Amino acid sequence: MRVYLNFLPFVLPYYHKRKKEQRKVRNLKTVIKKLGAEVIAGDQDAIKALNIYLIVSFLSDTNADIEALVTQGRELLDQIKKLPAKTDGTYEEAMTKAKLLLNQIS
């Protein structure tokens, strides 16, 4: 028991840092999914908000998980920006691809 108590102060900073990183990843994932759903629904303000959020997240953190999420969010945003007009025959296919990208965010 004594060895464990002597080791505990060295483990706690790592533990708290890891939990903080996990919360950042979870929160980013939640925001991308929420704003992505609003973007797919056609909200123009959500496009701007998602773009800004992705840029700030990329610049503020160097975690590999966050970089992967930012890349997935950027792919979704690019797909939404390339959507054809609703009257075009390929609109449904492009929208299905965008929804698939949104569901693949993990």
Side-chain angles (χ1 to χ4, degrees):
M1 187 66 160
R2 181 173 291 228
V3 173
Y4 176 72
L5 292 177
N6 289 338
F7 184 68
L8 191 61
F10 297 112
V11 175
L12 286 179
Y14 171 76
Y15 175 79
H16 290 299
K17 182 180 177 187
R18 174 101 171 108
K19 287 295 182 184
K20 184 178 178 182
E21 293 296 322
Q22 287 176 342
R23 279 193 305 272
K24 284 182 182 180
V25 170
R26 182 200 65 212
N27 292 344
L28 179 61
K29 188 185 310 183
T30 303
V31 167
I32 290 174
K33 285 185 177 186
K34 181 182 175 199
L35 287 175
E38 292 177 11
V39 166
I40 287 177
D43 187 5
Q44 294 298 319
D45 292 334
I47 293 174
K48 294 175 187 174
L50 181 59
N51 189 26
I52 291 169
Y53 203 86
L54 290 172
I55 290 170
V56 170
S57 296
F58 180 73
L59 294 175
S60 67
D61 208 336
T62 58
N63 186 356
D65 295 332
I66 289 180
E67 287 181 15
L69 281 173
V70 168
T71 302
Q72 289 176 337
R74 181 64 55 200
E75 288 175 9
L76 172 66
L77 197 57
D78 291 342
Q79 180 66 29
I80 294 294
K81 287 181 178 180
K82 290 190 292 185
L83 280 177
K86 289 186 178 182
T87 57
D88 194 359
T90 60
Y91 177 78
E92 289 299 323
E93 181 182 333
M95 185 57 86
T96 303
K97 185 175 180 183
K99 288 178 182 177
L100 181 65
L101 285 172
L102 180 63
N103 291 334
Q104 287 179 347
I105 293 177
S106 58

